[in-house]
Amino acid sequence: MADDIFMEVDEEIRAERIRALARRYLVVAGVVVAAVCIGAGGWQYSVSRAHKADAAVSAAYFAAMQDVARPPDATGVDASLTTRQKKGLQALEALDARARPPLRALERMERAALLAQSGSLPAALALWDGVSQEHAVDPTIAALASLLWVQHQIDGGDPATLRSRLAVIDGAGQPWRGQAIEAEALLDLKTGKDADARAKFERLAMDMTIADGVRSRAEAMLQTLGDDAGG
């Protein structure tokens, strides 16, 4: 069940990752345009070199992403990485010292997902925690890193610690509010608070402001809890 949730969350963040990249490109383009308008030769040359370096890093990132992508016919969660995925993982790690904060955060998120998939959970948790704590990271990405850090410890992490992290991202207006409340409900189930979990799932199932995937999973959990109560 938890693995299915992680896979659905991965799909839900695709658009957010693209938006983060778009913001980064707009900032770089704005700097280049400003340099051209100013007409300062030396400054313009420096900015142009930086822009080319960023473009090279971005190209390398997208090439690595093609390698790490799950095969189209893959089903379920496979604990092993393909040779191509391992190559992509190494390429992403090589970008860490070259990429600026927006892209560095994204490559670390991708690395963490691959490491978690391959069973290297401590390394993945360290990357997610680092992204969530870094001030230069976009708040949406930082919150997602914190969410994933919690989700992958639902079964064995300290409930109080996990709840304290979720409390920061479960409020109104938070981009991952639905997923955070969902994680809190799963923690309730793990700690024997079935009534609290049911109440949270009911809130999620009726909340039209959150992602469809979260509502669908909440409805499924309510059916499961109902069946368990009836049995």
Side-chain angles (χ1 to χ4, degrees):
M1 178 184 67
D3 288 336
D4 292 338
I5 290 176
F6 301 152
M7 291 175 64
E8 291 194 44
V9 170
D10 285 343
E11 291 302 318
E12 290 166 7
I13 72 173
R14 295 296 178 186
E16 197 57 49
R17 178 165 51 217
I18 292 171
R19 282 196 289 271
L21 279 171
R23 283 194 293 269
R24 176 178 177 275
Y25 291 145
L26 287 173
V27 170
V28 172
V31 171
V32 172
V33 170
V36 171
C37 293
I38 292 171
W43 169 246
Q44 184 177 345
Y45 174 70
S46 298
V47 171
S48 177
R49 287 188 61 186
H51 179 57
K52 288 179 181 178
D54 283 344
V57 171
S58 298
Y61 170 79
F62 284 115
M65 286 302 299
Q66 290 180 337
D67 286 334
V68 303
R70 289 172 61 83
D73 59 347
T75 57
V77 177
D78 186 354
S80 62
L81 299 180
T82 65
T83 300
R84 187 173 179 182
Q85 284 179 316
K86 291 177 181 177
K87 174 187 173 185
L89 179 60
Q90 292 173 346
L92 288 172
E93 187 173 5
L95 289 176
D96 199 77
R98 299 166 54 200
R100 298 197 191 198
L103 195 56
R104 185 169 65 237
L106 294 179
E107 64 87 0
R108 287 180 178 178
M109 294 288 283
E110 295 293 345
R111 277 199 289 141
L114 286 167
L115 289 167
Q117 177 186 333
S118 65
S120 300
L121 186 56
L125 292 173
L127 284 171
W128 281 319
D129 191 45
V131 171
S132 71
Q133 303 294 334
E134 189 173 341
H135 296 300
V137 173
D138 181 281
T140 299
I141 301 300
L144 176 61
S146 193
L147 172 68
L148 292 170
W149 185 88
V150 169
Q151 284 183 324
H152 284 77
Q153 298 184 86
I154 292 289
D155 290 334
D158 174 57
T161 300
L162 301 182
R163 288 184 192 279
S164 68
R165 293 286 286 261
L166 290 170
V168 180
I169 58 176
D170 70 355
Q174 290 292 323
W176 310 107
R177 181 176 66 89
Q179 290 89 342
I181 295 173
E182 179 181 43
E184 289 170 342
L186 293 174
L187 276 173
D188 286 338
L189 290 178
K190 290 292 181 183
T191 55
K193 300 178 180 179
D194 290 10
D196 291 341
R198 187 188 302 276
K200 290 182 176 70
F201 285 130
E202 288 174 348
R203 284 172 52 199
L204 292 173
M206 295 185 294
D207 191 341
M208 301 304 293
T209 67
I210 63 173
D212 292 342
V214 176
R215 291 205 310 276
S216 296
R217 293 194 296 270
E219 291 169 357
M221 288 302 301
L222 286 171
Q223 291 180 359
T224 299
L225 291 173
D227 292 341
D228 290 344

